Amino acid sequence: KLLQLTEILTYSFLTVLLWSCMFHAIHMMPSQKRTNKHLRSERITGLSENDGKTLHRTKRGWMWNQFFLLEEYTGPDTQYVGKLHTDQDKGDGNLKYILTGDGAGSLFIIDENTGDIHAAKKLDREEKSLYVLRAKAIDRKTGRQVEPESEFIIKIHDINDNEPKFTKDMYTASIPEMSGVGTSVIQVTATDADDANYGNSAKVVYSILQGQPYFSVDPETGLIKTALPDMSRENREQYQVVIQAKDMGGQMGGLSGTTTVNITLTDVNDNPPRFPQSTYQFSSPESAPPGTPLGRIKANDPDVGENAEIEYSISNGDGSDMFDIVTDKDTQEGIITVKKHLDFENKMLYTLRVEATNTHPDPRFLQLGPFKDTAFVKISVEDIDEPPVFSRPWYLIEVDEDAKEGSIIGQVVAQDPDITKNAIKYSVDRHTDLDRIFNIYSGNGSLFISKPLDREETPWHNITVIASEINNPKQSSQIPVFIRILDINDHAPEFAKYYETFVCENAKAGQLIQTVSAVDKDEPPRGHRFFFELVPEFAVHPNFSIVDNKDNTAGIMTRRNGYSRSKMSTYLLPVIIFDNDYPIQSSTGTLTIRVCACDSRGNMQSCNAEALLLPAGLSTGALVAILLCIIILLVLVVLFTALKRQRKKEPLIISKDDVRDNIVTYNDEGGGEEDTQAFDIGTLRNPEAREESKMRRDVIPETIFQIRRTAPLWENIDVQDFIHRRLKENDLDPAAPPYDSLATYAYEGNDSIANSLSSLESLTTEGNQDYDYLSDWGPRFKKLADMYGGEDSDRD
C-alpha cells in the first residue's frame, strides 16, 4: 500500500508540474510596457546517432509560442509586438538577436540588442491573418548560438473593418398580382469579410429600408415576402425595394451594405372586358357587297397578353343574319362587316346586340362575375340609285321555226328597285345578235322576230337584253335570254345515201337485192318513222317490189325469175318515202338497178352490156385484133374529117334545117334552179317529137334503121332523170345509127323568167327568126344582139 501511495503522489506531482509549464508558456503575452519573464528550461542530453555521445538534458533558456497584434493600427508610433530575451543575456551587449520568417525585416523589425519586436506597417487580417517567424540569439564575440532557434507565431486580431456586401448590386423578381400575404418573392444574400469566429463582426442582420408596407424581409435569411394582400397590377405594376445588411448583429456601430430589388407584378385575368359606351352608330350604303367592313368597336380590358384577348359575337338583334363581326387579333377590336346584300327599300335600320368575352378566363376569379360585356350597335342603310332588276335571273323562250316575221315570241320584265321607280327602256345587245334576227319593244320588253327562223341551221339563239333607266342610262343591267327554235315538219325524208343496186341475171323471185334507209333533217319529238312504197304508176311493178320493214328501212325484192342484160341492162325504180309527222312530208327517190352476171353464190361478176355482142367463141387474140381495127377506123375518120374541114369552111348555120352540133356557150344569168323558162324542154318530154325527128342532112347514112319505140314514161318524172334514161336507151339501142349524136344541155331548173335559148326546135320553125328583141335585154346580151340582130351576122 505504501508503494502504491508513493506512485500516486509522484504521478500527481508530475502532472501538476507539466500543466504549470504549459499554462505559463501559453499565457506568455507581450505588452507595450511589460517584458517576458525568463524561462529556464532543462537541457537534455542524449546519445547522438552520429557520434554516439551521450545526450544530456539541459534546461531551455527561452521558448516562444505566439504573439497577438491588432490589425489596422493607426497610432503615431509603430505598434509594439513583443520582446525576445534569454537568461544568457547579462545586459552587457554581447548577445545579438536575429529574426527570420514571414515579414521579417519588412513588416516586423527587431532590436538586435534588446530583442524588442515592432510592426513597421499597418496590417490587414483579411489579407493575412497570421505570420510564422523564427528567432535566435548569437554571441557577438564567438558567433555561436547561445540558444537554439525557436519558432513563434504572430496572429492578427480582427476588428470590424468590413461592411456586409450583397452578391448582386441589383435583383430582379416577379410575382403574380393578387398573391396572398407571405408569398415568397426572392432571397437576397450578403457576406462579411470579417472573422466570423471572432466576435460579431461578421454576423449579418437583414432589414428593409424601402418597400414597406408592401413587402417584408426575413432578418436572418434575407427572404423577401409579400406583406399586403390583393396587390393589383392594374393599380401598380413596378416596386423598388431596398434591403440593408448590417453586421455586429445589427447593433449600433456595426457596418452595413444595401441592395435594390426591382419587383414586378405579373398579370392574371382578374378583370372582365368592358365597353366604354353602351351604343354604337354605323351606316352602310345598300350597294355594299358582302364582306365590306362598316366600323370597329373595342371593349377595354386592363389585363395584358392572353388575359386581354377578346372574342366578339352577335348574340341577338334583327340584323344578326345581315351582318357579322370578326375579331382583329392585333388590336383586339371587333370589326362589323356586311354579311348579305342590303336593301334600303326593304329595311332602313338594323339593331345588333354585340357581346365581348374573354377567351382565357381564370377559374380563381370566376366568383367576381361573368367575364364578358354587351353593347348595342345600330346600323342605318343609305339609299343609292340602283340599276333595274329583272324578274328572273334568265329567260327561256321557245318559238316555232315557221313563226312569221314580226310575231311576238316572249317578254322580259324589269323594274327600278328604288323608291322613285324610274321608267325603264329595253334594248337587245347587238353583239349577241349580229344577224338582227330578233328585236324588242323598248317600252314593254316584248321580243319579236325580224327575220325568218331555220331550226336546221341554228337551233338555239342566245341573246342579251339590256334594261336601263330613261332618266339615267348609266344605271343599266342585262339578262341572258335563251331562245329555242322548235322544229316543224318542213323537210321531206330522203335516201340515207346513194345506193348502187344490182340484180343477178339468175335471180329468183322474192329475192332481197337491196335494203334502203332514209334520213330527215327534222327532229320530231317522238322520233322518226318512215314509210316506203312505190310511186302510184309503179304500184304493181312487174320486175320488183318493196317491203317496208317497219324499222325505218325497206327491202327491194325481185318479182320474177331471171333477168336479161340483152333486153334491159338497167331498171329505174322510183320509191316514195313518207314521214309520220304533221304535216306529212314525202319525197321520191329513184333506185338504179343494174342487171349483172353473177356466179352461183350470187357474187357480181360483170355488168357490162357490150360484152354480150361479142361471139362466145372468140379468143383473146381475136378480141385484140378487133380492137385494133376499131382504133384504125377511128383514126381514119378523124383524118377524113380534118381534111374535109380544111377544104371547105361552111358558115355557122346553113339553113333552118341544119342542126349540126354547133354549141355556143353563154353566161346565162337566169333564175337558177327556179328558172322554169331557161329553155323549152317540151321536145325532150314528148316521146313523139323525138320519134319524128328528122335525119341529119350533113351525113347521108348507108342504111336507115327504124327507131325503136320505147315504153312511155309518166308525166311528172324529174327532167334530169329523164335525160339520163334517154341517154342510156340510145346507148343500149342496137338499132340506133352510129352517126347519131345527142347534145347534152345543163339542167337549169324550173320557173326561169327568160325565154329558151335552145335551138332544138329550130328545125320546126318556118322562115327566118327575128332576133331584134335581144337588144332589149340589156348589156349582158349585147354580144348575142350583135351576132343575130344585124344583117351581116352570118358573115361576122
Side-chain angles (χ1 to χ4, degrees), residues 328-346:
D328 189 334
K329 298 300 182 181
D330 297 329
T331 63
Q332 297 301 317
E333 293 177 314
I335 305 175
I336 306 293
T337 60
V338 178
K339 188 176 181 180
K340 295 182 179 180
H341 287 287
L342 304 175
D343 188 0
F344 172 82
E345 290 72 26
N346 185 28

Side-chain angles (χ1 to χ4, degrees), residues 36-55:
N36 292 334
K37 294 183 179 180
H38 301 290
L39 298 178
R40 190 178 295 271
S41 61
E42 296 182 353
R43 296 185 178 181
I44 303 175
T45 61
L47 293 177
S48 174
E49 295 181 358
N50 298 328
D51 55 9
K53 294 182 180 180
T54 302
L55 297 177

